[in-house]
C-alpha cells in the first residue's frame, strides 16, 4: 500500500480517506478517530478561518454534527 502524504498510513488514496472519514465520523459518530486519521501537524482551512489545532477542528465538527437533526432511516 502506498502512503498518502499527510494522512494516516492506513489511507492510500484521498477517496478512501474521505469515504472512511465520512462513515466513521458522520455515520458512526466516532469523532475521536479524527486524531487517528490525521497526521500532525495539520492545518484545516474552513470557510471562516484556518485552524492549526486538531481539538479546535474536532469542536467545530461536533457543532456541525449537532446542527443537523437526527433523521430515522
Amino acid at each position: 500500500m502506498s502512503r498518502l502524504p499527510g494522512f494516516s498510513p492506513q489511507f492510500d488514496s484521498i477517496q478512501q480517506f474521505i469515504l472512511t472519514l465520512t462513515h466513521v465520523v458522520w455515520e458512526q459518530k466516532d469523532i475521536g478517530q479524527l486524531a487517528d486519521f490525521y497526521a500532525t501537524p495539520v492545518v484545516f482551512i474552513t470557510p471562516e478561518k484556518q485552524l492549526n489545532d486538531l481539538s479546535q477542528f474536532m469542536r467545530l465538527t461536533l457543532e456541525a454534527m449537532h446542527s443537523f437533526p437526527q433523521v430515522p432511516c
Side-chain angles (χ1 to χ4, degrees):
M1 177 183 297
S2 63
R3 176 111 166 40
L4 184 62
F7 294 87
S8 171
Q10 70 186 11
F11 303 111
D12 59 3
S13 72
I14 193 68
Q15 293 86 358
Q16 180 191 25
F17 171 78
I18 291 169
L19 290 172
T20 302
L21 178 104
T22 301
H23 176 74
V24 171
V25 173
W26 289 91
E27 295 174 17
Q28 292 182 334
K29 310 289 188 234
D30 190 356
I31 194 166
Q33 283 210 31
L34 284 174
D36 297 331
F37 290 164
Y38 289 101
T40 54
V42 65
V43 175
F44 300 98
I45 300 173
T46 72
E48 293 84 27
K49 59 184 142 189
Q50 178 174 314
L51 304 170
N52 298 313
D53 182 9
L54 180 60
S55 64
Q56 290 177 327
F57 181 71
M58 291 172 81
R59 182 180 54 77
L60 291 174
T61 302
L62 278 172
E63 288 175 10
M65 290 171 74
H66 290 294
S67 69
F68 291 97
Q70 296 298 315
V71 180
C73 297

